Amino acid sequence: MAEASGTANIGVVGMAVMGSNLARNLASREGNTVAVYNRSPERTRKLVSEHPEAGFVASESVDDFVASLAKPRTAIIMVQAGAGTDAVISELAERFEPGDIIVDGGNANFHDTIRREKDVSASGIHFVGTGISGGEEGALKGPSIMPGGTAEAYKTLGPILASIAAVAEGEPCVTHIGTDGAGHFVKMVHNGIEYADMQLIAEAYDLLRTITKREPAELAEVFTAWNSGDLESYLIEITAEILKQVDAETGKPFVDIVLDQAGAKGTGSWTVQNALDLGVPVGGIAEAVFARSLSSHPEQREAVQATISSRPDVVEVDVDTFADDIRAALYASKVVAYAQGFDEIVAGAAQYGWNIDKGAVAKIWRAGCIIRAQFLNRIVEAYEKNPDITTLLEDPYFASAVADGEAAWRRVVSTAALSGVPVPGFGAALSYYDALSVKRLPAALVQGQRDFFGAHTYKRIEKEGTFHTLWSGDRTEIESAPSTH
Ligand code: 6PG
């Protein structure tokens, strides 16, 4: 192992797949000398021996690792989010000096990042919570990177991150998102959108399979065709690949031999939990999270199935026309999911005092990350035209894209309901669009109910003030202070 030399401009702690791939990516770029460290040294030794070309400066103790870094010392932590991250942060913080930079590149909860930034920066050390998307391959070849932290830390860190980021239309997919937890917040929303996008694609597949009765291999061709044009994206591309796959053991389509219970590590749930706290309706994202939870309750599914003697007949459709309808419904629902995600970014920025450039976020998601898609260029354009739009759905391009697909969207959701195919994502997205579109919502009746049982008061449509009706008295109306209970 190399001795401490103080020559590495960047270090990586944590040599699991993401960490070692990121370290290899860093080492492959001109100008970087990369220090590496892992709690158990075997992993470090393996990486160093398998990749002599990387010229890693490897250490087997934290002291040696810290000594191997040039000043300002900059180290990226790539260990499991949670307690493991806290332990590494304190080991580094004890040894780092003011001006040095600790980067957490894991999928941390942004509330933890805010707390950690506060603690670490008290001693003059920078702490940068950074979202990194793109999975194992992205880490190796070019991820999309979402750093928070101070602008000062970004001066040192930015060029290093730009050297390894994916490139979209000539621009590296990294931007300083905002202070403290802003990077991890935006990565969280990215993952919420990822959940929604995946669920919508899965619903499209289910509809095609059940209603048009085509086999996975044929459907792979449909998704391949959809991967040019509006829907072009990494998730559509890999869907076609997965549908093509045949299980070697049974000869069946791969998708038919996988247990239909979806897992989740928590970032989707965080997106919804925080949306609830922020008061942002993200129904499309929430339904995607719930769809995974529902799938993972086989006992309830079996219990209900045991009560059912027959399921609805599938509605007869013209196969090609219906496939086109699903494509349109998928696109419209996807627009809604992204609009909801960006709404949460706007609300989070206001709540936590971040100045987030939405167009810049859309730009760095165009390559490297899991939700990379052609469509993000349209979002970039929408925010370039007007950074203050109240919803992406008011942008003329998206307004007409959704309006053009509207009739197909309604046919798909109603055909799904009549045929008994669950479409929580398509359905929630359409209801969201309808709720924004109608002139009056039944929220007026809800206000009446609240006032009836709890004197919670209401406002009137034609005059200022707060009112209460004496429901248990003579039912006359009085002016009232707004209710606080
Ligand atoms: C990425 C991914 C990555 C991971 C998520 C989702 O952007 O590279 O989002 O972070 O796949 O953790 O995982 P779950 O589906 O298990 O929640």
Side-chain angles (χ1 to χ4, degrees):
M1 292 277 151
E3 285 303 317
S5 60
T7 56
N9 66 317
I10 182 80
V12 181
V13 179
M15 293 295 113
V17 188
M18 287 295 285
S20 40
N21 281 2
L22 201 76
R24 286 172 58 200
N25 186 354
L26 283 159
S28 72
R29 311 293 169 154
E30 194 66 36
N32 289 335
T33 302
V34 185
V36 289
Y37 169 72
N38 192 68
R39 191 171 297 274
S40 52
E42 295 74 25
R43 279 205 169 163
T44 316
R45 289 183 203 144
K46 187 165 178 280
L47 177 75
V48 170
S49 73
E50 283 174 1
H51 296 285
E53 78 289 349
F56 288 126
V57 182
S59 297
E60 297 200 355
S61 74
V62 182
D63 285 330
D64 285 351
F65 173 73
V66 171
S68 73
L69 296 167
K71 293 181 188 179
R73 298 182 187 91
T74 307
I76 307 179
I77 302 172
M78 296 296 292
V79 303
Q80 212 152 48
T85 305
D86 276 317
V88 178
I89 292 169
S90 59
E91 282 177 333
L92 293 180
E94 278 163 22
R95 293 163 175 85
F96 273 23
E97 292 168 359
D100 290 349
I101 305 166
I102 299 174
V103 183
D104 174 14
N107 265 337
N109 186 313
F110 79 94
H111 292 293
D112 287 338
T113 304
I114 292 175
R115 166 181 60 79
R116 289 166 178 154
E117 205 269 345
K118 205 160 168 251
D119 291 351
V120 172
S121 66
S123 55
I125 299 165
H126 297 288
F127 182 78
V128 181
T130 298
I132 301 181
S133 176
E136 296 173 8
E137 192 177 309
L140 183 62
K141 296 184 178 158
S144 169
I145 312 179
M146 295 150 251
T150 61
E152 199 191 332
Y154 193 71
K155 275 191 209 142
T156 304
L157 191 60
I160 299 172
L161 297 180
S163 77
I164 58 162
V167 175
E169 306 197 5
E171 295 174 78
C173 291
V174 57
T175 189
H176 182 220
I177 302 282
T179 53
D180 56 58
H184 276 139
F185 181 89
V186 165
K187 175 60 173 38
M188 174 192 78
V189 175
H190 164 285
N191 281 26
I193 294 173
E194 173 184 304
Y195 275 52
D197 213 341
M198 291 166 74
Q199 173 65 21
L200 293 170
I201 293 171
E203 289 177 18
Y205 152 77
D206 198 17
L207 287 162
L208 286 166
R209 183 98 191 254
T210 311
I211 298 181
T212 73
K213 302 188 181 75
R214 285 195 263 183
E215 289 304 302
E218 296 169 275
L219 296 181
E221 286 168 31
V222 174
F223 281 96
T224 301
W226 287 359
N227 198 33
S228 49
D230 289 347
L231 282 173
E232 184 184 334
S233 63
Y234 171 72
L235 286 170
I236 294 279
E237 181 192 327
I238 65 166
T239 298
E241 294 299 320
I242 296 162
L243 292 175
K244 257 186 240 163
Q245 182 76 6
V246 174
D247 175 50
E249 211 174 302
T250 59
K252 290 185 179 163
F254 167 83
V255 74
D256 288 348
I257 57 96
V258 176
L259 196 65
D260 58 346
Q261 297 174 20
K265 292 196 207 74
T267 48
S269 310
W270 295 346
T271 311
V272 179
Q273 285 161 5
N274 284 287
L276 290 171
D277 291 342
L278 292 165
V280 185
V282 295
I285 297 172
E287 287 298 344
V289 176
F290 290 140
R292 290 195 193 186
S293 324
L294 186 151
S295 76
S296 299
H297 281 291
E299 71 295 348
Q300 291 184 329
R301 294 168 59 187
E302 280 160 24
V304 170
Q305 284 162 31
T307 69
I308 291 169
S309 51
S310 73
R311 300 233 54 233
D313 289 331
V314 163
V315 172
E316 293 284 331
V317 293
D318 175 80
V319 169
D320 291 330
T321 314
F322 193 60
D324 285 345
D325 279 357
I326 296 173
R327 200 204 64 77
L330 176 55
Y331 191 61
S333 303
K334 180 173 162 134
V335 170
V336 165
Y338 279 69
Q340 293 178 345
F342 274 92
D343 284 351
E344 185 164 349
I345 290 175
V346 171
Q351 173 75 20
Y352 298 102
W354 300 318
N355 182 15
I356 299 181
D357 177 342
K358 280 100 62 191
V361 170
K363 271 190 178 178
I364 65 162
W365 286 350
R366 289 179 303 176
C369 65
I370 304 296
I371 63 171
R372 59 187 182 262
Q374 261 306 315
F375 156 85
L376 283 153
N377 277 310
R378 307 287 86 76
I379 299 183
V380 172
E381 286 157 13
Y383 284 121
E384 268 168 6
K385 260 183 275 158
N386 179 4
D388 299 320
I389 40 177
T390 58
T391 163
L392 275 176
L393 294 166
E394 76 165 292
D395 171 74
Y397 166 80
F398 288 115
S400 63
V402 170
D404 290 350
E406 187 183 334
W409 203 3
R410 296 191 190 286
R411 282 193 294 273
V412 168
V413 172
S414 54
T415 305
L418 292 169
S419 305
V421 178
V423 285
F426 281 14
L430 181 57
S431 282
Y432 175 85
Y433 177 64
D434 279 335
L436 289 180
S437 305
V438 291
K439 285 271 181 272
R440 286 229 1 122
L441 287 168
L445 180 59
V446 172
Q447 284 296 79
Q449 292 163 335
R450 293 177 69 240
D451 191 56
F452 191 105
F453 62 68
H456 292 297
T457 74
Y458 52 88
K459 295 197 182 296
R460 296 183 59 100
I461 55 170
E462 81 302 7
K463 60 179 175 189
E464 290 292 306
T466 304
F467 301 92
H468 168 56
T469 289
L470 300 167
W471 295 103
S472 20
D474 64 2
R475 304 210 165 176
T476 55
E477 183 179 77
I478 57 167
E479 257 204 270
S480 160
S483 109
T484 50
H485 57 277

